[in-house]
Amino acid sequence: PQGPDGFVGQSHLLGPGGPLRRMLEGGALHSMVLWGPPGTGKTTLARMLARLATARFVTLSAVLSGVKDIRAAVEVARAERARGVTTLLFVDEVHRFNKSQQDAFLPHVEDGTVVFVGATTENPAFELNNALLSRARVYVLKALSNADLEQLLGTALADPRAFAGEQVELTPQAAGALVAAADGDARRLLMQLEIAVDLAETVETAHGTVRRVGTQTLEHVLQSSLRRFDKGGDAFYDQISALHKSIRGSDPDAALYWLCRMLDGGCDPNYIARRLLRIASEDVGNAEPRALSLVLDAWESFRRLGSPEGELSIAHAALYLACVPKSNAVYSAYRAAAAAAAESGSLEVPEHLRNAPTRLARELGHGAGYRYAHDEPDGFAAGERYLPEALGDASFYRPLERGLEERIAARLASLRERNREARARDEGAPE
């Protein structure tokens, strides 16, 4: 792509008002970490940024490079900087560098010798040094949508430089199959397209010789049945959505049907197991807390047995989830608490809740006045406060009257009433 408008996907970063677009419009590069799944354009984005900022592009691979290579790249960058040339140092798979190797970048990022751009498929918070993260902004790249992949597919087919100049046609069913099989990965889409074109039959048309790719050709490429793409062009994500919503709606027969449709179409059972594990927390939650363990057991059973025997365990879990009581209270509570954490800033931990492992900490008042709940009547310190004062009595978790959550709700209501009574006494107000 020649600019942000030609970049497929990542509109949240490069679209109008997006942070990387604003950076380009402002004409100033800064160090960053690009975090996202494979095939989402991390390398392409880094190259585009360097070109638009008229910076020299240098790439290192953490798989093949070491500290010696880092130092060599920095020395060249220092010489280029003396000539007024900015160097964008792109480090692919940066999470594969160990902590000491990552430290080698710090002084050169700090003094502006290089603009550091790291690419990773792993969570930077776990894989990268805090010192390096503090000097670079993290941008999250998302898997490409089906619409993005369709756009990319059309661009590839229209490019006269592609396929040695041969004309290529895809049937609508084949195009849909390629997009769904790519699963958000542009690299996988283009690789499978190339293989399919190599295997496609050549036909004569009124406009000349054409390589025509149909579903029969793709069955050899994808090495799986493509039935899921027939019968009206059902899309992969429509089917997983139908499975999820059937379970949420407590319809075990529909859940089992969509499960079997996906398995029959060649879907990886591990993908379905991951979604079931999500459902166990998002849609069942504490109404039936054993759901999480049962899905994990079913997934482990599949891993031990393999296909096709292990697929029965996945069906077992899906039927169980469809039949048990449902509650989205855990999901709603998590989202509400996450929003509060993001909006409330860095509120201090109340003094009585702070850790006090040293004498200095105790002298500063850490832990002072903390009430050990196990020493209180019924194991509950009535009136104690655990949230920052600025949040007051914020309530995130609101259990529903379904399954076990009905009992949880009753107990929480009782404990909250005891809190109100205790605080009223402490404040000298009438109960």
Side-chain angles (χ1 to χ4, degrees), residues 187-425:
R187 185 183 296 110
R188 184 187 302 170
L189 173 79
L190 296 176
M191 178 188 70
Q192 291 175 338
L193 173 63
E194 287 184 348
I195 297 172
V197 171
D198 286 341
L199 297 177
E201 62 176 343
T202 301
V203 296
E204 293 291 338
T205 70
H207 303 290
T209 301
V210 173
R211 290 256 191 177
R212 182 166 293 160
V213 179
T215 53
Q216 186 174 4
T217 302
L218 284 183
E219 285 189 350
H220 298 292
V221 177
L222 304 179
Q223 298 182 347
S224 65
S225 167
L226 295 175
R227 284 189 290 276
R228 65 171 178 254
F229 303 110
D230 297 334
K231 301 178 182 177
D234 294 349
F236 172 81
Y237 288 107
D238 285 342
Q239 292 188 27
I240 193 63
S241 175
L243 172 61
H244 192 147
K245 290 169 182 172
S246 298
I247 292 174
R248 180 183 292 151
S250 298
D251 189 333
D253 300 304
L256 192 60
Y257 169 77
W258 290 115
L259 171 70
C260 292
R261 275 285 303 274
M262 297 191 75
L263 293 175
D264 182 61
C267 178
D268 181 359
N270 286 291
Y271 176 87
I272 298 175
R274 285 195 296 272
R275 177 59 71 96
L276 297 182
L277 199 59
R278 167 75 179 196
I279 292 172
S281 290
E282 179 180 340
D283 295 289
V284 176
N286 283 332
E288 176 48 273
R290 292 172 295 185
L292 201 61
S293 297
L294 188 138
V295 175
L296 282 170
D297 288 343
W299 196 354
E300 181 61 24
S301 296
F302 171 77
R303 286 173 170 169
R304 289 174 179 267
L305 290 172
S307 292
E309 293 87 350
E311 290 168 0
L312 183 61
S313 300
I314 305 297
H316 179 172
L319 287 174
Y320 175 81
L321 291 173
C323 294
V324 298
K326 308 294 189 298
S327 171
N328 69 342
V330 170
Y331 176 66
S332 298
Y334 175 78
R335 294 188 64 181
E343 295 167 3
S344 60
S346 301
L347 296 178
E348 296 288 345
V349 175
E351 292 284 353
H352 68 289
L353 298 181
R354 294 189 183 186
N355 189 27
T358 65
R359 185 173 66 182
L360 176 60
R362 291 189 290 274
E363 289 173 352
L364 291 173
H366 293 189
Y370 170 66
R371 295 162 59 191
Y372 187 59
H374 295 293
D375 291 340
E376 301 277 341
D378 196 30
F380 177 67
E384 184 72 298
R385 294 183 182 273
Y386 299 97
L387 283 170
E389 185 176 350
L391 293 182
D393 293 324
S395 176
F396 305 120
Y397 181 45
R398 299 175 182 178
L400 307 178
E401 294 186 0
R402 299 175 194 159
L404 180 63
E405 277 202 329
E406 186 172 7
R407 294 167 56 190
I408 294 174
R411 173 161 173 75
L412 288 180
S414 172
L415 296 179
R416 286 166 180 161
E417 180 60 29
R418 289 173 61 183
N419 270 336
R420 283 192 289 271
E421 293 173 355
R423 289 167 186 168
R425 287 194 301 269

Side-chain angles (χ1 to χ4, degrees), residues 4 33 46 83 100 117 129 141 166 188 200 218 242 270 276 306 318 335 353:
V33 174
R83 297 173 48 241
S100 63
V117 178
N129 283 355
L141 277 69
E166 289 188 281
R188 184 187 302 170
L218 284 183
N270 286 291
L276 297 182
R335 294 188 64 181
L353 298 181

Side-chain angles (χ1 to χ4, degrees), residues 30-34 106 109 116-118 128-139:
H30 58 249
S31 293
M32 67 187 75
V33 174
L34 303 176
L106 296 179
V109 174
F116 172 85
V117 178
L128 300 185
N129 283 355
N130 288 334
L132 185 56
L133 284 177
S134 71
R135 291 163 172 80
R137 298 183 192 178
V138 176
Y139 294 106

